[in-house]
């Protein structure tokens, strides 16, 4: 059984790039995606060298938070701009901005300047993530789209594994500034390939005047900054029920209300109302928001579990996580053989159901257990999530025409990013709460993990007590992640249509 397809009289314009030029364009997309993906991980292992050179230990976490904020809050803006002006100018501007930010980061003179320049990088990174995913959908028809999506997933997988190692090598044997300078040749090659080979369709109905919703863009940006700052810093820089947290959350609610009013009155809103009025898009947004939520468990807490509970070194702990990044793209690449037979919704239901079972199985692992046990679960989790995420992204992109695809893709990625930020905040509080209950006082998983880095300095009984506490905390996090998977499953069963309203190829390629 295949998804329904509707057609419209007449034919649309040619695809975004002719097949003969796909190779160079795909290479450019993979290079661009690599820049955005590896930049989130390569800095982590160089923090000691950066802090030693620039100082600013108290605020170094904003090297990551600032970049995340900028990427997340700009996704809806770039999505709308790519629908309005085309993908190519937005992607070119994003690459240029990312490279300028990289060059400035390499020239930073103190921690404050480096954080500011990381934000500039993130402003470019938001354009890279959303626009590359949109162009990938433009390039390939529905049946072939898993090929490019699997390639992009492989880039993310390779970046997750290679990023920390590359950052450590550059910081240890060269200089931490090379972490940012190596972006320049890679980005310039991607930029050249995009400018030379990416050809977009001609627009069938050129507009005499393009109206840009700058007020809406500013409101979306400000609301996102307040929300993500509250989630990232709450429970870290200040307590959750403190004046800063409550003030930021209250400001988020107020600005959110203002944003809704502004967007309702805008002629060309940054986040149009149809994103949430259409069942398919709303369901995919919520389901992938839940995916971002549950992904915090393996990506953030599993390395701590592997090192503190299993006693593995950083490299071996990274391997336990990396097996998920191996099965995910493989499963995604093969998912088209499933969804072309049973449909997007049922394929995603099978994937998230499998993920739910795997997440529920994690707390059943023995203590302390063997490393192959969580590695096997992560292998199965990657396979399940590849079967869940890709059909939803491909499916939702196939339900909208060319002129709405950038906004739709950006809304999906935005919801996933926000879900990840919410998950980090919620599950961090859960883990620290379990530790506090087990050990008494205030729980701090990071501090406990650092103490277990040198188990020889602690009595054996104390070491065993702390490891069991970490094991219990991570088990509760995985139960929470299973709850997020159950929420995604419920959304698909209740809100998503049984058959996605897929458009015909000509209709999907129509330019605005």
């Amino acid at each position: 059984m295949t998804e329904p397809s509707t057609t419209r009289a007449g034919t649309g314009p040619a695809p975004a790039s002719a097949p003969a030029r796909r190779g160079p364009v795909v290479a450019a997309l993979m290079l661009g995606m690599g820049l955005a993906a590896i930049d989130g991980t390569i800095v982590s292992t160089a923090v000691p060298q950066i802090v030693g050179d620039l100082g600013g230990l108290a605020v170094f976490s904003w090297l990551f938070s600032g970049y995340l904020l900028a990427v997340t809050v700009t996704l809806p803006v770039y999505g709308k701009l790519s629908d309005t002006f085309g993908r190519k100018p937005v992607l070119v501007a994003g690459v240029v901005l990312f490279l300028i930010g990289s060059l400035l980061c390499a020239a930073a003179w103190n921690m404050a300047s480096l954080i500011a320049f990381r934000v500039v990088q993130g402003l470019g990174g938001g354009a890279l993530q959303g626009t590359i995913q949109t162009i990938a959908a433009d390039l390939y028809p529905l049946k072939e789209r898993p090929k490019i999506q699997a390639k992009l997933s492989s880039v993310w997988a390779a970046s997750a594994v290679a990023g920390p190692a590359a950052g450590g090598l550059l910081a240890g044997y060269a200089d931490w500034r090379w972490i940012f300078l190596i972006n320049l040749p890679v980005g310039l090659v991607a930029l050249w390939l995009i400018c030379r080979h990416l050809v977009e369709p001609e627009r069938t109905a050129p507009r005499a005047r393009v109206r840009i919703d700058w007020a809406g863009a500013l409101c979306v940006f400000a609301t996102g900054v307040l929300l993500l700052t509250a989630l990232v810093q709450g429970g870290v820089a200040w307590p959750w029920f403190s004046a800063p947290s409550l003030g930021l959350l209250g400001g988020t609610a107020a600005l959110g209300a203002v944003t809704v009013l502004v967007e309702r009155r805008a002629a060309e809103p940054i986040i149009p109302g149809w994103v949430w009025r259409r069942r398919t898009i709303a369901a995919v947004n919520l389901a992938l928001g839940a995916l971002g939520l549950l992904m915090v468990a393996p990506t953030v807490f599993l390395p701590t579990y592997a090192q503190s509970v299993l006693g593995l070194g950083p490299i071996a702990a990274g391997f336990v996580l990396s097996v998920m990044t191996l099965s995910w793209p493989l499963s995604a690449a093969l998912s088209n053989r499933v969804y072309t037979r049973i449909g997007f919704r049922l394929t995603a239901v099978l994937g998230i159901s499998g993920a739910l079972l795997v997440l529920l199985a994690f707390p059943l692992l023995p203590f302390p257990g063997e490393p192959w046990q969580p590695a096997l679960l992560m292998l199965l989790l990657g396979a399940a999530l590849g079967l869940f995420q890709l059909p939803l992204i491909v499916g939702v992109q196939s339900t909208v025409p060319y002129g709405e695809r950038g906004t739709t893709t950006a809304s999906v990625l935005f919801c996933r990013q926000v879900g990840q930020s919410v998950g980090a905040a919620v599950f961090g509080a859960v883990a620290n709460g379990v530790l506090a209950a087990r050990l008494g006082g205030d729980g701090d998983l990071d501090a406990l993990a650092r103490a277990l880095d040198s188990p020889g300095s602690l009595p054996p009984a104390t070491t065993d007590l702390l490891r069991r506490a970490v094991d219990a905390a991570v088990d509760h996090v995985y139960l929470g992640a299973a709850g997020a998977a159950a929420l995604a499953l419920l959304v698909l069963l209740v809100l998503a249509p049984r058959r996605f309203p897929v458009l015909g190829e000509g209709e999907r390629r129509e330019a605005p």
Side-chain angles (χ1 to χ4, degrees), residues 324-378:
M324 181 180 70
T325 65
L326 298 176
S327 59
W328 190 320
L330 180 60
S331 172
L334 298 175
S335 65
N336 67 319
R337 300 186 180 184
V338 182
Y339 68 66
T340 54
R341 292 173 179 267
I342 64 175
F344 294 116
R345 175 178 175 264
L346 187 52
T347 303
V349 165
L350 292 176
I352 198 63
S353 298
L356 174 60
L357 294 176
V358 172
L359 293 168
L360 288 174
F362 189 91
L364 302 179
L365 293 178
F367 176 87
E370 298 293 333
W372 67 265
Q373 294 167 334
L376 176 60
L377 290 183
M378 292 307 99

Short mmCIF file of all heavy atoms in Angstrom, two decimals, residues 324-378:
data_model
loop_
_atom_site.label_atom_id
_atom_site.label_comp_id
_atom_site.label_asym_id
_atom_site.label_seq_id
_atom_site.Cartn_x
_atom_site.Cartn_y
_atom_site.Cartn_z
N MET A 324 24.82 3.50 18.08
CA MET A 324 23.52 4.01 17.69
C MET A 324 23.62 4.83 16.41
O MET A 324 22.75 4.78 15.54
CB MET A 324 22.93 4.87 18.81
CG MET A 324 21.54 5.42 18.50
SD MET A 324 20.86 6.43 19.82
CE MET A 324 21.92 7.87 19.73
N THR A 325 24.72 5.56 16.27
CA THR A 325 24.90 6.39 15.07
C THR A 325 25.28 5.55 13.86
O THR A 325 25.30 6.08 12.74
CB THR A 325 25.99 7.45 15.32
OG1 THR A 325 27.26 6.81 15.52
CG2 THR A 325 25.66 8.29 16.54
N LEU A 326 25.58 4.28 14.06
CA LEU A 326 25.85 3.39 12.93
C LEU A 326 24.56 2.76 12.40
O LEU A 326 24.35 2.67 11.19
CB LEU A 326 26.83 2.29 13.36
CG LEU A 326 28.22 2.76 13.82
CD1 LEU A 326 29.04 1.56 14.29
CD2 LEU A 326 28.94 3.50 12.71
N SER A 327 23.68 2.35 13.32
CA SER A 327 22.45 1.69 12.88
C SER A 327 21.39 2.68 12.42
O SER A 327 20.54 2.34 11.59
CB SER A 327 21.89 0.82 14.01
OG SER A 327 21.62 1.60 15.17
N TRP A 328 21.44 3.90 12.92
CA TRP A 328 20.42 4.90 12.57
C TRP A 328 20.40 5.19 11.07
O TRP A 328 19.37 5.04 10.41
CB TRP A 328 20.65 6.17 13.39
CG TRP A 328 19.56 7.19 13.32
CD1 TRP A 328 18.85 7.56 12.21
CD2 TRP A 328 19.05 7.97 14.40
NE1 TRP A 328 17.95 8.55 12.53
CE2 TRP A 328 18.05 8.82 13.86
CE3 TRP A 328 19.35 8.06 15.75
CZ2 TRP A 328 17.34 9.73 14.65
CZ3 TRP A 328 18.65 8.98 16.53
CH2 TRP A 328 17.67 9.79 15.99
N PRO A 329 21.54 5.63 10.45
CA PRO A 329 21.49 5.93 9.01
C PRO A 329 21.20 4.71 8.15
O PRO A 329 20.56 4.82 7.10
CB PRO A 329 22.87 6.52 8.71
CG PRO A 329 23.74 6.10 9.84
CD PRO A 329 22.85 5.97 11.03
N LEU A 330 21.66 3.53 8.58
CA LEU A 330 21.38 2.32 7.82
C LEU A 330 19.88 2.03 7.82
O LEU A 330 19.28 1.72 6.77
CB LEU A 330 22.15 1.14 8.40
CG LEU A 330 21.95 -0.21 7.70
CD1 LEU A 330 22.39 -0.13 6.24
CD2 LEU A 330 22.71 -1.31 8.45
N SER A 331 19.27 2.13 8.98
CA SER A 331 17.82 1.91 9.08
C SER A 331 17.06 2.97 8.28
O SER A 331 16.08 2.66 7.60
CB SER A 331 17.40 1.96 10.55
OG SER A 331 16.00 1.93 10.68
N ALA A 332 17.54 4.22 8.34
CA ALA A 332 16.88 5.29 7.59
C ALA A 332 16.95 5.04 6.09
O ALA A 332 15.98 5.25 5.36
CB ALA A 332 17.52 6.63 7.94
N ALA A 333 18.10 4.56 5.63
CA ALA A 333 18.28 4.32 4.20
C ALA A 333 17.34 3.22 3.70
O ALA A 333 16.91 3.23 2.54
CB ALA A 333 19.72 3.95 3.90
N LEU A 334 17.04 2.26 4.55
CA LEU A 334 16.18 1.15 4.16
C LEU A 334 14.70 1.40 4.45
O LEU A 334 13.85 0.59 4.08
CB LEU A 334 16.63 -0.13 4.89
CG LEU A 334 18.05 -0.61 4.59
CD1 LEU A 334 18.40 -1.80 5.48
CD2 LEU A 334 18.20 -0.97 3.12
N SER A 335 14.41 2.53 5.11
CA SER A 335 13.03 2.76 5.53
C SER A 335 12.07 2.92 4.36
O SER A 335 10.88 2.65 4.50
CB SER A 335 12.95 3.99 6.43
OG SER A 335 13.30 5.16 5.71
N ASN A 336 12.58 3.38 3.20
CA ASN A 336 11.67 3.57 2.07
C ASN A 336 11.05 2.25 1.60
O ASN A 336 9.96 2.23 1.03
CB ASN A 336 12.39 4.26 0.91
CG ASN A 336 13.46 3.39 0.29
OD1 ASN A 336 14.19 2.71 1.01
ND2 ASN A 336 13.58 3.42 -1.03
N ARG A 337 11.74 1.13 1.84
CA ARG A 337 11.18 -0.16 1.48
C ARG A 337 9.99 -0.52 2.36
O ARG A 337 9.18 -1.37 2.01
CB ARG A 337 12.25 -1.24 1.58
CG ARG A 337 13.45 -0.99 0.67
CD ARG A 337 14.41 -2.14 0.69
NE ARG A 337 15.56 -1.91 -0.18
CZ ARG A 337 16.52 -2.79 -0.41
NH1 ARG A 337 16.47 -3.99 0.18
NH2 ARG A 337 17.52 -2.49 -1.21
N VAL A 338 9.93 0.13 3.51
CA VAL A 338 8.83 -0.12 4.43
C VAL A 338 7.69 0.86 4.17
O VAL A 338 6.54 0.46 3.99
CB VAL A 338 9.30 -0.01 5.90
CG1 VAL A 338 8.15 -0.33 6.85
CG2 VAL A 338 10.48 -0.95 6.15
N TYR A 339 7.99 2.17 4.13
CA TYR A 339 6.89 3.13 4.03
C TYR A 339 6.25 3.16 2.65
O TYR A 339 5.11 3.61 2.52
CB TYR A 339 7.30 4.53 4.50
CG TYR A 339 8.31 5.28 3.66
CD1 TYR A 339 8.03 5.71 2.37
CD2 TYR A 339 9.53 5.65 4.22
CE1 TYR A 339 8.95 6.44 1.64
CE2 TYR A 339 10.45 6.39 3.49
CZ TYR A 339 10.16 6.78 2.20
OH TYR A 339 11.06 7.51 1.48
N THR A 340 6.95 2.69 1.62
CA THR A 340 6.27 2.58 0.32
C THR A 340 5.26 1.44 0.30
O THR A 340 4.38 1.40 -0.56
CB THR A 340 7.30 2.37 -0.81
OG1 THR A 340 8.12 1.24 -0.49
CG2 THR A 340 8.17 3.60 -1.01
N ARG A 341 5.36 0.53 1.26
CA ARG A 341 4.42 -0.59 1.34
C ARG A 341 3.29 -0.32 2.33
O ARG A 341 2.14 -0.63 2.05
CB ARG A 341 5.15 -1.87 1.76
CG ARG A 341 6.13 -2.39 0.70
CD ARG A 341 6.93 -3.55 1.26
NE ARG A 341 7.87 -4.10 0.27
CZ ARG A 341 7.61 -5.09 -0.53
NH1 ARG A 341 6.44 -5.71 -0.46
NH2 ARG A 341 8.50 -5.52 -1.40
N ILE A 342 3.63 0.24 3.49
CA ILE A 342 2.62 0.36 4.54
C ILE A 342 2.30 1.82 4.89
O ILE A 342 1.41 2.06 5.71
CB ILE A 342 3.05 -0.39 5.81
CG1 ILE A 342 4.31 0.22 6.42
CG2 ILE A 342 3.26 -1.86 5.51
CD1 ILE A 342 4.71 -0.41 7.74
N GLY A 343 3.02 2.78 4.31
CA GLY A 343 2.72 4.19 4.57
C GLY A 343 3.63 4.80 5.62
O GLY A 343 4.28 4.10 6.41
N PHE A 344 3.68 6.13 5.60
CA PHE A 344 4.57 6.87 6.51
C PHE A 344 4.17 6.70 7.97
O PHE A 344 5.02 6.45 8.83
CB PHE A 344 4.54 8.37 6.15
CG PHE A 344 5.12 8.69 4.80
CD1 PHE A 344 4.32 9.22 3.81
CD2 PHE A 344 6.45 8.46 4.53
CE1 PHE A 344 4.83 9.53 2.56
CE2 PHE A 344 6.98 8.77 3.28
CZ PHE A 344 6.18 9.30 2.30
N ARG A 345 2.88 6.83 8.24
CA ARG A 345 2.43 6.81 9.63
C ARG A 345 2.70 5.47 10.29
O ARG A 345 3.26 5.41 11.40
CB ARG A 345 0.94 7.14 9.69
CG ARG A 345 0.31 7.03 11.09
CD ARG A 345 -1.16 7.42 10.98
NE ARG A 345 -1.88 7.24 12.23
CZ ARG A 345 -2.61 6.19 12.53
NH1 ARG A 345 -2.68 5.17 11.69
NH2 ARG A 345 -3.28 6.13 13.67
N LEU A 346 2.34 4.39 9.64
CA LEU A 346 2.51 3.07 10.25
C LEU A 346 3.99 2.73 10.40
O LEU A 346 4.39 2.10 11.39
CB LEU A 346 1.80 2.02 9.40
CG LEU A 346 1.75 0.60 10.00
CD1 LEU A 346 1.22 0.62 11.42
CD2 LEU A 346 0.93 -0.33 9.12
N THR A 347 4.81 3.15 9.44
CA THR A 347 6.25 2.92 9.56
C THR A 347 6.80 3.64 10.79
O THR A 347 7.57 3.08 11.58
CB THR A 347 6.99 3.41 8.31
OG1 THR A 347 6.47 2.74 7.16
CG2 THR A 347 8.48 3.12 8.41
N ALA A 348 6.41 4.90 10.96
CA ALA A 348 6.87 5.66 12.13
C ALA A 348 6.34 5.05 13.43
O ALA A 348 7.04 5.02 14.45
CB ALA A 348 6.42 7.11 12.01
N VAL A 349 5.12 4.53 13.40
CA VAL A 349 4.55 3.87 14.59
C VAL A 349 5.38 2.64 14.96
O VAL A 349 5.69 2.40 16.13
CB VAL A 349 3.08 3.48 14.33
CG1 VAL A 349 2.60 2.48 15.39
CG2 VAL A 349 2.20 4.72 14.35
N LEU A 350 5.76 1.84 13.96
CA LEU A 350 6.61 0.68 14.24
C LEU A 350 7.95 1.11 14.83
O LEU A 350 8.46 0.50 15.77
CB LEU A 350 6.84 -0.11 12.95
CG LEU A 350 5.61 -0.82 12.36
CD1 LEU A 350 5.97 -1.48 11.03
CD2 LEU A 350 5.08 -1.85 13.34
N GLY A 351 8.54 2.19 14.26
CA GLY A 351 9.83 2.65 14.75
C GLY A 351 9.78 3.13 16.18
O GLY A 351 10.60 2.74 17.01
N ILE A 352 8.80 3.97 16.51
CA ILE A 352 8.75 4.52 17.86
C ILE A 352 8.30 3.46 18.87
O ILE A 352 8.69 3.50 20.05
CB ILE A 352 7.83 5.77 17.92
CG1 ILE A 352 8.12 6.58 19.18
CG2 ILE A 352 6.38 5.38 17.84
CD1 ILE A 352 9.49 7.14 19.26
N SER A 353 7.53 2.47 18.42
CA SER A 353 7.18 1.37 19.32
C SER A 353 8.42 0.56 19.69
O SER A 353 8.60 0.18 20.85
CB SER A 353 6.13 0.46 18.65
OG SER A 353 4.95 1.17 18.37
N GLY A 354 9.27 0.30 18.70
CA GLY A 354 10.52 -0.39 18.99
C GLY A 354 11.40 0.42 19.92
O GLY A 354 12.03 -0.13 20.85
N ALA A 355 11.47 1.75 19.70
CA ALA A 355 12.27 2.60 20.57
C ALA A 355 11.73 2.58 22.00
O ALA A 355 12.50 2.57 22.98
CB ALA A 355 12.28 4.03 20.03
N LEU A 356 10.41 2.56 22.14
CA LEU A 356 9.80 2.51 23.46
C LEU A 356 10.21 1.25 24.21
O LEU A 356 10.56 1.29 25.40
CB LEU A 356 8.27 2.58 23.31
CG LEU A 356 7.44 2.41 24.58
CD1 LEU A 356 7.78 3.47 25.61
CD2 LEU A 356 5.95 2.47 24.25
N LEU A 357 10.19 0.12 23.53
CA LEU A 357 10.58 -1.14 24.17
C LEU A 357 12.06 -1.12 24.59
O LEU A 357 12.42 -1.59 25.67
CB LEU A 357 10.32 -2.31 23.23
CG LEU A 357 8.85 -2.59 22.89
CD1 LEU A 357 8.74 -3.72 21.87
CD2 LEU A 357 8.06 -2.93 24.16
N VAL A 358 12.91 -0.56 23.73
CA VAL A 358 14.35 -0.49 24.06
C VAL A 358 14.57 0.40 25.27
O VAL A 358 15.34 0.06 26.19
CB VAL A 358 15.14 0.04 22.85
CG1 VAL A 358 16.60 0.30 23.24
CG2 VAL A 358 15.09 -0.97 21.70
N LEU A 359 13.92 1.56 25.31
CA LEU A 359 14.09 2.48 26.43
C LEU A 359 13.58 1.87 27.73
O LEU A 359 14.17 2.08 28.80
CB LEU A 359 13.37 3.79 26.14
CG LEU A 359 13.97 4.62 24.99
CD1 LEU A 359 13.01 5.74 24.58
CD2 LEU A 359 15.32 5.19 25.38
N LEU A 360 12.50 1.11 27.66
CA LEU A 360 12.00 0.43 28.85
C LEU A 360 12.91 -0.70 29.31
O LEU A 360 12.95 -1.04 30.50
CB LEU A 360 10.59 -0.13 28.58
CG LEU A 360 9.46 0.89 28.47
CD1 LEU A 360 8.17 0.21 28.05
CD2 LEU A 360 9.26 1.64 29.80
N ALA A 361 13.66 -1.27 28.37
CA ALA A 361 14.56 -2.37 28.72
C ALA A 361 15.81 -1.89 29.44
O ALA A 361 16.44 -2.65 30.19
CB ALA A 361 14.96 -3.14 27.45
N PHE A 362 16.21 -0.62 29.22
CA PHE A 362 17.46 -0.13 29.81
C PHE A 362 17.48 -0.25 31.34
O PHE A 362 18.48 -0.73 31.91
CB PHE A 362 17.72 1.31 29.37
CG PHE A 362 19.09 1.81 29.75
CD1 PHE A 362 20.15 1.68 28.87
CD2 PHE A 362 19.32 2.39 30.99
CE1 PHE A 362 21.42 2.12 29.22
CE2 PHE A 362 20.58 2.83 31.35
CZ PHE A 362 21.64 2.70 30.45
N PRO A 363 16.43 0.17 32.06
CA PRO A 363 16.48 0.03 33.53
C PRO A 363 16.54 -1.42 34.01
O PRO A 363 16.83 -1.66 35.20
CB PRO A 363 15.17 0.69 33.99
CG PRO A 363 14.80 1.61 32.88
CD PRO A 363 15.22 0.91 31.64
N LEU A 364 16.28 -2.38 33.12
CA LEU A 364 16.33 -3.79 33.51
C LEU A 364 17.73 -4.37 33.41
O LEU A 364 17.95 -5.53 33.78
CB LEU A 364 15.38 -4.61 32.63
CG LEU A 364 13.90 -4.18 32.65
CD1 LEU A 364 13.08 -5.06 31.71
CD2 LEU A 364 13.34 -4.24 34.08
N LEU A 365 18.70 -3.59 32.90
CA LEU A 365 20.07 -4.08 32.80
C LEU A 365 20.62 -4.36 34.19
O LEU A 365 20.35 -3.64 35.14
CB LEU A 365 20.96 -3.05 32.09
CG LEU A 365 20.67 -2.79 30.61
CD1 LEU A 365 21.61 -1.71 30.08
CD2 LEU A 365 20.83 -4.06 29.80
N PRO A 366 21.44 -5.42 34.32
CA PRO A 366 22.00 -5.73 35.64
C PRO A 366 23.03 -4.68 36.06
O PRO A 366 23.58 -3.95 35.24
CB PRO A 366 22.67 -7.10 35.42
CG PRO A 366 22.98 -7.13 33.96
CD PRO A 366 21.87 -6.38 33.28
N PHE A 367 23.27 -4.60 37.36
CA PHE A 367 24.31 -3.71 37.89
C PHE A 367 25.52 -4.53 38.30
O PHE A 367 25.38 -5.52 39.00
CB PHE A 367 23.77 -2.93 39.09
CG PHE A 367 24.83 -2.07 39.74
CD1 PHE A 367 25.06 -0.79 39.28
CD2 PHE A 367 25.60 -2.56 40.80
CE1 PHE A 367 26.05 0.01 39.86
CE2 PHE A 367 26.59 -1.79 41.38
CZ PHE A 367 26.80 -0.50 40.91
N PRO A 368 26.74 -4.16 37.88
CA PRO A 368 27.04 -3.07 36.96
C PRO A 368 26.86 -3.47 35.50
O PRO A 368 26.78 -2.62 34.63
CB PRO A 368 28.49 -2.75 37.27
CG PRO A 368 29.07 -4.07 37.70
CD PRO A 368 27.97 -4.77 38.43
N GLY A 369 26.81 -4.77 35.20
CA GLY A 369 26.59 -5.23 33.84
C GLY A 369 27.85 -5.18 32.98
O GLY A 369 28.92 -4.79 33.42
N GLU A 370 27.69 -5.62 31.73
CA GLU A 370 28.78 -5.63 30.77
C GLU A 370 28.55 -4.55 29.71
O GLU A 370 27.42 -4.23 29.37
CB GLU A 370 28.86 -7.00 30.08
CG GLU A 370 29.14 -8.15 31.02
CD GLU A 370 30.54 -8.06 31.62
OE1 GLU A 370 31.43 -7.47 30.97
OE2 GLU A 370 30.73 -8.59 32.74
N PRO A 371 29.64 -4.00 29.15
CA PRO A 371 29.48 -2.91 28.17
C PRO A 371 28.66 -3.30 26.95
O PRO A 371 27.99 -2.44 26.36
CB PRO A 371 30.93 -2.57 27.79
CG PRO A 371 31.75 -2.99 28.97
CD PRO A 371 31.06 -4.20 29.53
N TRP A 372 28.70 -4.58 26.54
CA TRP A 372 27.97 -4.96 25.33
C TRP A 372 26.47 -4.86 25.52
O TRP A 372 25.73 -4.74 24.53
CB TRP A 372 28.35 -6.39 24.92
CG TRP A 372 27.91 -7.48 25.86
CD1 TRP A 372 28.65 -8.05 26.84
CD2 TRP A 372 26.63 -8.12 25.89
NE1 TRP A 372 27.91 -9.00 27.50
CE2 TRP A 372 26.66 -9.08 26.93
CE3 TRP A 372 25.45 -7.99 25.14
CZ2 TRP A 372 25.58 -9.88 27.24
CZ3 TRP A 372 24.37 -8.80 25.45
CH2 TRP A 372 24.44 -9.73 26.49
N GLN A 373 26.00 -4.88 26.76
CA GLN A 373 24.56 -4.85 26.99
C GLN A 373 23.94 -3.49 26.63
O GLN A 373 23.01 -3.44 25.82
CB GLN A 373 24.26 -5.23 28.44
CG GLN A 373 24.63 -6.69 28.75
CD GLN A 373 24.63 -7.00 30.22
OE1 GLN A 373 24.83 -6.13 31.07
NE2 GLN A 373 24.41 -8.28 30.56
N PRO A 374 24.44 -2.37 27.19
CA PRO A 374 23.90 -1.09 26.72
C PRO A 374 24.24 -0.81 25.26
O PRO A 374 23.46 -0.15 24.56
CB PRO A 374 24.54 -0.06 27.65
CG PRO A 374 25.75 -0.72 28.19
CD PRO A 374 25.41 -2.18 28.27
N ALA A 375 25.39 -1.31 24.77
CA ALA A 375 25.74 -1.11 23.36
C ALA A 375 24.73 -1.78 22.45
O ALA A 375 24.32 -1.22 21.42
CB ALA A 375 27.15 -1.64 23.09
N LEU A 376 24.29 -2.98 22.82
CA LEU A 376 23.28 -3.68 22.02
C LEU A 376 21.97 -2.91 22.02
O LEU A 376 21.32 -2.77 20.97
CB LEU A 376 23.07 -5.09 22.58
CG LEU A 376 21.96 -5.92 21.90
CD1 LEU A 376 22.26 -6.11 20.42
CD2 LEU A 376 21.78 -7.27 22.61
N LEU A 377 21.58 -2.39 23.18
CA LEU A 377 20.35 -1.61 23.24
C LEU A 377 20.44 -0.35 22.38
O LEU A 377 19.48 0.04 21.72
CB LEU A 377 20.03 -1.23 24.69
CG LEU A 377 19.59 -2.37 25.62
CD1 LEU A 377 19.24 -1.83 26.99
CD2 LEU A 377 18.39 -3.11 25.03
N MET A 378 21.61 0.31 22.39
CA MET A 378 21.76 1.51 21.57
C MET A 378 21.75 1.18 20.08
O MET A 378 21.27 1.96 19.27
CB MET A 378 23.05 2.23 21.94
CG MET A 378 23.04 2.85 23.34
SD MET A 378 21.61 3.94 23.65
CE MET A 378 20.52 2.83 24.57
#
